[in-house]
Amino acid sequence: MKSNKRILLVEDDPNFGRILKDYLTINNYEVSLAVNGIEGFEKFNRSDFDLCILDIMMPFKDGLTLAKEIREVNELIPLIFLTAKNLKDDVLKGYKIGADDYLTKPFDSEILLAKIKSILNRKPNLSTQETDEFEFEFGQFDFNSKLRILTHKEGDSFKLSPKENQLLKMLVLNFDDLLPRDIALNKIWRDANYFTSRSMDVYIAKLRKYLDKDVSLKIINVHGEGFRLMKE
Amino acid sequence: MKSNKRILLVEDDPNFGRILKDYLTINNYEVSLAVNGIEGFEKFNRSDFDLCILDIMMPFKDGLTLAKEIREVNELIPLIFLTAKNLKDDVLKGYKIGADDYLTKPFDSEILLAKIKSILNRKPNLSTQETDEFEFEFGQFDFNSKLRILTHKEGDSFKLSPKENQLLKMLVLNFDDLLPRDIALNKIWRDANYFTSRSMDVYIAKLRKYLDKDVSLKIINVHGEGFRLMKE
DNA sequence: AAATTTCTTAATGAAATGTTAATATCTATT
DNA sequence: AATAGATATTAACATTTCATTAAGAAATTT
């Protein structure tokens, strides 16, 4: 199963945080752990999460304050609060900010998991690729990056593998311009080293084979820099 | 100001039910009270509600069974369960059916109110899957998803099982477009894991067998992404 | 010419999917 | 509660897709 959901967990108790993170990781979530509200907000801004789990009682910046800041930036992301005691006031404040749920510590981990699933299942991916462009036209080709199909106007059409697809999309988005090698590597392969670089070369070769159908299109190499998809 | 939300409350304890109904009424909800699962289901079918609150422990027909029946008719309406004891198993079953939340009796009425607000205020889903339509035409088929009948225009017709029916409906609603695996799994199977995924593959095979009657229709796989129902 | 980078094909193993059959679960009726 | 029939899940095995790595040739830079 791919497309793991990403969870931001903000919890000041390092032991508990660690255990919870591991538990969620085992259950196929990608978890980022922050140990206080300040770090939590920084992490939140640095990448895309699908859900936040916030401890309320924390030093420096408590969970409610953090939640308010997060809501200012993103009004849709689901929030789950953890409260040490069953502090009714905190719970009510949480809901006012727009919490989706809260749990009183100690809580049952299976139930947390059920809640997470329930919440994530009812939120369709608004933020993901749905909104992104996925239909392109270049040379004699139509390219649908959602269906991963590259169609030559004379009739031939190719099914692209995920990596072929991503790479072609980046090339097309930078049409006639340089696509730096390390940019593509970090985005598609999540790492830039000798091996991923070799792998990328293999994929460039594959794409070239497809593009042969239109002799005016070329992927040229800029030695030591990257590649450039161009016409003529 | 007549946009009051309508709540179906199913609770067998008449005293408690009465009190809760009054409390919600005071807070501007229009509440319909049923004293058991059977009456609850009748009331549900007779009018449109925005939310259901179901007691789990009830004579004749318990809350979980009722929830299942409601879900068959309406897959979107939010469900909140009330459990007398904190029966973990019941809670987990509830989430599996598609509960939005649960509360353990005795609970704080203000918190219930906050939960209700939180659930009802949730941004409405704008997914393509939401529709009341139940009659479709595609290829050489007529498909009635309410009666679960797929009819080939030459005469053959198939009775579909609930899961076959749901899956075909989602494919048809996304005709010629990708139906992402995760979306279908979370909607139909309420969970996305290895086993539900295999189960879905089995159902795709079944549907393909039906669709064989029209050779121009195909369900093709987009490796790692999902399926696409298309013509030609 | 030596070193580095790129090009291309092919081999490998892992993961996802296709399909049928065997169990398990559910539901309605006796 | 017992049974049959429908439905759903799991198992098993086949097939396909895919990413990576290796390996040698070619191109580019120094």
Side-chain angles (χ1 to χ4, degrees), chain B residues 181 198 202 208-209 221 223-224 227:
Chain B
R181 209 181 184 97
R198 302 309 286 116
V202 172
R208 280 184 176 135
K209 223 167 241 176
N221 173 255
H223 201 274
F227 293 92

Side-chain angles (χ1 to χ4, degrees), chain B residues 131-191:
Chain B
T131 177
D132 296 330
E133 268 185 287
F134 57 88
E135 285 177 310
F136 307 93
E137 203 180 332
F138 64 98
Q140 303 167 4
F141 290 101
D142 286 324
F143 171 37
N144 185 318
S145 66
K146 197 166 167 184
L147 300 173
R148 305 206 311 255
I149 292 178
L150 177 67
T151 311
H152 187 257
K153 293 196 165 145
E154 300 299 299
D156 265 338
S157 96
F158 309 101
K159 287 164 57 185
L160 303 183
S161 84
K163 283 227 153 63
E164 290 169 350
N165 186 60
Q166 281 183 279
L167 185 54
L168 182 56
K169 184 173 176 186
M170 289 190 83
L171 285 166
V172 170
L173 286 173
N174 292 281
F175 192 87
D176 204 38
D177 197 2
L178 177 72
L179 170 61
R181 209 181 184 97
D182 286 4
I183 302 278
L185 285 177
N186 283 324
K187 176 131 180 165
I188 301 175
W189 277 265
R190 303 227 148 257
D191 191 18

Side-chain angles (χ1 to χ4, degrees), chain B residues 64-111:
Chain B
L64 290 171
T65 310
L66 173 58
K68 229 178 282 179
E69 292 176 356
I70 289 177
R71 265 283 170 270
E72 277 175 25
V73 183
N74 185 324
E75 355 175 282
L76 292 170
I77 191 162
L79 304 175
I80 296 180
F81 286 108
L82 305 181
T83 73
K85 311 148 223 158
N86 198 340
L87 287 179
K88 186 176 142 190
D89 249 25
D90 282 350
V91 172
L92 290 179
K93 273 186 211 152
Y95 275 116
K96 205 172 167 198
I97 291 167
D100 287 73
D101 218 322
Y102 76 98
L103 278 168
T104 306
K105 290 198 266 187
F107 56 83
D108 188 287
S109 53
E110 274 189 84
I111 288 189

